[in-house]
């Protein structure tokens, strides 16, 4: 490890890919997302590899997790937003098409392993037309390694319990969002 960047080539990336795909598919089965919705993901490669968040960035792990989630979100017609680390104030990397569709203000920053994180660096390198934005209101989210994605979810977040609770050594928490209920005792609601 040099400067907190992992150079470990003995890590079992195939297991990370398998666990990541299971998490995403479980969430999408429960979240009832529609084409064009946004899935926000925060990911600590350090936590996946049993290190403290922000201390052991792994390009290999970041790429494996990004490529897996990006593949599944594309299959479902969803936009993927990747949350950068705190050194970029948790900015997000998205496809420019997503930023334009949702009228998101584009900012000028390029993530790197120790300033943005390995996951968002992989997104910036893997998206067709990547841009950075400061805020988003996603329809669902996955937090891999306690990265605190809540600020990027729509106002009413609902936990989604999944069977796959870890990717590597990182905790995984998932959420979907729903519309706010408004009205009083006479109101009725659409549960779909």
């Amino acid at each position: 490890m040099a400067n907190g960047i992992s150079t470990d080539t003995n890590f079992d990336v195939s297991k990370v890919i398998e666990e990541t795909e299971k998490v995403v598919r479980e969430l999408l089965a429960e979240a009832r997302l529609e084409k064009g919705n946004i899935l926000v993901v925060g990911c600590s490669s350090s936590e996946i590899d049993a290190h403290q968040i922000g201390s052991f960035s792994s390009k290999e792990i970041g790429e494996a997790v990004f490529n897996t989630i990006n593949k599944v979100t594309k299959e479902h017609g969803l936009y993927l937003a990747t949350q950068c680390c705190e050194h970029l104030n948790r900015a997000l990397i998205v496809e420019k098409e997503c930023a334009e569709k949702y009228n998101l203000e584009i900012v000028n920053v390029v993530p790197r392993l120790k300033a943005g994180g390995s996951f968002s660096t992989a997104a910036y390198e893997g998206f067709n037309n990547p841009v950075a934005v400061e805020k988003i209101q996603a329809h669902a989210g996955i937090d891999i390694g306690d990265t605190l994605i809540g600020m990027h979810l729509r106002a009413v977040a609902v936990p989604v319990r999944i069977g796959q609770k870890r990717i590597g050594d990182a905790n995984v928490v998932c959420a979907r969002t729903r519309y706010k209920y408004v009205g009083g005792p006479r109101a009725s609601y659409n549960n779909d």
Side-chain angles (χ1 to χ4, degrees):
M1 181 170 87
N3 298 325
I5 297 174
S6 169
T7 55
D8 181 8
T9 56
N10 296 323
F11 190 82
D12 185 5
V13 175
S14 63
K15 185 171 184 191
V16 167
I17 291 169
E18 178 185 316
E19 292 170 346
T20 300
E21 186 162 351
K22 188 172 182 188
V23 165
V24 178
R25 292 198 186 280
E26 281 189 62
L27 171 63
L28 295 183
E30 295 293 323
R32 298 180 291 208
L33 298 178
E34 298 174 4
K35 286 188 179 193
N37 282 173
I38 301 169
L39 173 67
V40 65
V41 179
C43 173
S44 169
S45 63
S46 301
E47 292 280 334
I48 289 173
D49 200 14
H51 299 278
Q52 183 178 353
I53 192 168
S55 68
F56 198 77
S57 295
S58 168
K59 184 176 195 283
E60 184 180 30
I61 293 172
E63 287 173 349
V65 174
F66 168 74
N67 290 333
T68 304
I69 296 173
N70 193 41
K71 176 188 82 162
V72 176
T73 54
K74 281 183 177 179
E75 287 173 12
H76 289 267
L78 303 173
Y79 290 113
L80 173 59
T82 68
Q83 178 182 269
C84 296
C85 72
E86 66 181 295
H87 299 99
L88 297 187
N89 296 327
R90 305 211 193 289
L92 304 121
I93 305 302
V94 297
E95 289 281 10
K96 188 173 185 181
E97 177 183 317
C98 175
E100 290 172 345
K101 177 178 178 172
Y102 285 96
N103 198 29
L104 305 173
E105 183 178 355
I106 296 172
V107 295
N108 188 359
V109 70
V110 176
R112 294 291 174 240
L113 285 182
K114 294 301 286 179
S118 62
F119 179 63
S120 285
T121 299
Y124 198 87
E125 294 169 356
F127 279 149
N128 292 324
N129 196 0
V131 295
V133 299
E134 286 188 290
K135 341 176 215 194
I136 210 163
Q137 294 211 314
H139 302 88
I142 302 172
D143 186 319
I144 304 167
D146 305 320
T147 60
L148 304 175
I149 62 162
M151 70 183 84
H152 297 304
L153 291 169
R154 293 187 314 166
V156 184
V158 179
V160 175
R161 304 288 184 225
I162 59 171
Q164 183 68 45
K165 305 222 181 278
R166 298 182 89 67
I167 295 175
D169 278 2
N171 294 322
V172 174
V173 177
C174 295
R176 65 176 178 82
T177 62
R178 66 163 175 77
Y179 296 120
K180 294 178 183 180
Y181 292 150
V182 296
R186 295 182 188 174
S188 61
Y189 302 102
N190 179 347
N191 292 323
D192 291 328

